[in-house]
Amino acid sequence: MNYELRIATKSDEARINELFIEMLNTIYNTSDSIGYEEGYLDRYFTDSEDVIFVAYKDSVVFAFISVEVYRDEDFLYLDDFSVSKEYRSLGVGTNLIKRVEEYSKEIGISKIE
């Protein structure tokens, strides 16, 4: 399957929230999960080192992983991670993790948690 990875932008926020809800519904075996609080994702859409990587095909985002940078402690923290059900078991999650590993090297951080 052909798809691309990139850093998310503010225009991806609604889709990331949908994927977050899908992830929570899967984990908790429910259908009534609530998404992110208003403004929670804003820090990822600034010039900070905290980023969200998304996987997309034909302009449709179907997976994401959020990354928080802790420079004082020299590590990246992997926060939320979701791959839409129909794209699981295709290596998308693995490729997102590899992209985070590349990002870690790009910004000079030695550990990922």
Side-chain angles (χ1 to χ4, degrees):
M1 177 179 78
N2 293 329
Y3 62 91
E4 296 182 59
L5 304 178
R6 63 173 169 76
I7 293 177
T9 64
K10 181 78 171 165
S11 64
D12 298 314
E13 184 173 23
R15 183 62 183 135
I16 291 167
N17 195 52
E18 290 170 0
L19 288 166
F20 178 67
I21 291 169
E22 181 180 337
M23 174 190 69
L24 292 176
N25 286 345
T26 300
I27 291 169
Y28 297 113
N29 195 28
T30 186
S31 61
D32 61 355
S33 296
I34 298 171
Y36 293 110
E37 290 182 21
E38 182 74 28
Y40 178 81
L41 295 176
D42 288 349
R43 73 174 186 266
Y44 294 104
F45 307 127
T46 65
D47 287 331
S48 95
E49 290 180 308
D50 295 348
V51 296
I52 297 175
F53 289 102
V54 295
Y56 68 100
K57 181 177 180 173
D58 301 326
S59 300
V60 176
V61 171
F62 60 86
F64 81 94
I65 189 167
S66 58
V67 179
E68 298 173 5
V69 178
Y70 292 88
R71 284 237 169 244
D72 293 346
E73 299 172 51
D74 191 38
F75 75 92
L76 295 183
Y77 177 70
L78 304 182
D79 194 7
D80 297 323
F81 184 24
S82 179
V83 178
S84 191
K85 185 175 183 175
E86 61 269 24
Y87 293 96
R88 293 179 192 154
S89 300
L90 299 174
V92 175
T94 299
N95 286 331
L96 281 167
I97 295 288
K98 286 179 183 177
R99 181 62 187 101
V100 170
E101 291 171 339
E102 291 169 4
Y103 182 65
S104 177
K105 290 176 186 171
E106 289 168 13
I107 64 171
I109 297 289
S110 62
K111 295 179 279 184
I112 300 173
E113 294 183 13

